[in-house]
Amino acid sequence: MSAPPTAPTVTPPARHAGVSALSLAVLAGPMSFGIAGPALILGEVAGGLGVSTGEATWLVTVFGWGIAVGTPLMSGLVGHRGMRGTVTISALLALIGAVLALVAPSLPILLLAAAAQALGAAGLTAIAMQLADSPRRMGVATASLAVVGSVSPLAGSLVSDLLSWRVVLALPVVAVLAVPAVLRQAVRSAPPPGRFDAIGVVVLTGLVTALVAVPHQPVAAGLCAVVAATALGIHLRARPAGFVPAALVRAPRFLGAAGLAFALAVGNFGLIYALPVRLSELTTWSSAQIGVAMVWPLLFGGALSWSVVAASARMRPRLMITALAATGVAAALAAAFTSWVPGLLVAQAAASIAAASGQGVLAVRATSAAPEEHRPAAIGLFTLCYLLGTAFGPAVVALTAG
């Protein structure tokens, strides 16, 4: 829903009362299909396109880039163009990307489809998080991402066997089913005064693009990231209330929450792609059996995260943050140093709990550190950091495995 014309950036709780928790879950959750759905079918994608598995992994990287760029972009558009316009644009991008995924004749076209679908899915997820005006409702949105992510590898394998790997790549479009419910509640609003910060959008997009490419081209992408970060710093001085508010960049609590969310996402999504390879080395399981084995730790972590996020409002923030960080570190160490199959599955469960719970808990903390007028930007930039982790994790695993 958009804000009243006289106060376009105010987000009182009553404003979202008509958007159900189910709609938030359907709006946010399907994005995870694009992140984790291809985990067990990259070989089939590679074979269908006549490319190597490493080249097919670019689909995951591009999807990660799209959701990372799209989240702050669409969050910014909510404040500039209103909820209805942003929802409509996001839904159209998701639909276009899904159609292209079903018919793309080559990898470059399929990468374009992944980018379009990711931008749309990112917009719908960002909107769901903006509509989540309490820890409990934020828990619904983030838990839906985790729960869908938990079944995505198995669902991707089964859908590929029954239909096609192309249908798997189109699954994020399911989020569009919740769009009518959101549009019924969204009211029209006049754009806020002031020019849209197009330069800020371009600079941030360049920075995100360079960061996503770092695992593939460390030197060149790293230099580009430094240049883009410098340009962003200069732009912040010239326009401190632009697309990237300087007040957020200078807020230690926001930066700490976003940084920890990034680290937890790297560990969780890296393990989602590393675990199938590791289990295939240690067992004689088929892809479907590996997918079934991975469901319970991921589903357990995703389901438990809703309770953790809801309970976080009654706990001391420092204790909760310490517990999340410790759980993430323990999961990474266990995955790195054990060859015991049950231990690997427990590590995946721990990583899932830490990342899914952390996204909700830390999102509340990050946005509470922002002035009310910067709340949409805070949600978008925080989620950008988390989603950068979803792009980094699989890319790092692919490089180390190769």
Side-chain angles (χ1 to χ4, degrees), residues 260 264 319-333 350 354:
L260 180 55
L264 294 175
L319 177 62
M320 175 60 72
I321 292 172
T322 300
L324 290 172
T327 303
V329 171
L333 292 176

Side-chain angles (χ1 to χ4, degrees), residues 100-204:
L100 281 177
L102 294 175
V103 301
S106 62
L107 181 60
I109 303 300
L110 202 57
L111 294 178
L112 180 62
Q117 194 163 204
L119 289 170
L124 297 177
T125 301
I127 289 164
M129 295 184 71
Q130 290 196 32
L131 294 173
D133 45 23
S134 70
R136 183 175 295 271
R137 286 165 67 84
M138 183 68 77
V140 170
T142 57
S144 69
L145 284 163
V147 169
V148 174
S150 70
V151 300
S152 288
L154 178 59
S157 178
L158 294 177
V159 170
S160 181
D161 290 341
L162 293 174
L163 298 173
S164 167
W165 55 264
R166 292 183 177 274
V167 179
V168 178
L169 300 182
L171 285 177
V173 78
V174 172
V176 173
L177 294 176
V179 167
V182 176
L183 289 177
R184 282 196 296 269
Q185 300 300 327
V187 297
R188 296 184 182 277
S189 63
R195 295 179 295 106
F196 184 66
D197 184 12
I199 295 177
V201 172
V202 171
V203 174
L204 182 64

Side-chain angles (χ1 to χ4, degrees), residues 51 59 95 106 108 112 159 187 272 285-287 348 392:
V51 299
L59 283 170
L95 287 168
S106 62
L112 180 62
V159 170
V187 297
I272 286 175
W285 295 345
S286 66
S287 293
Q348 179 67 84
F392 262 71

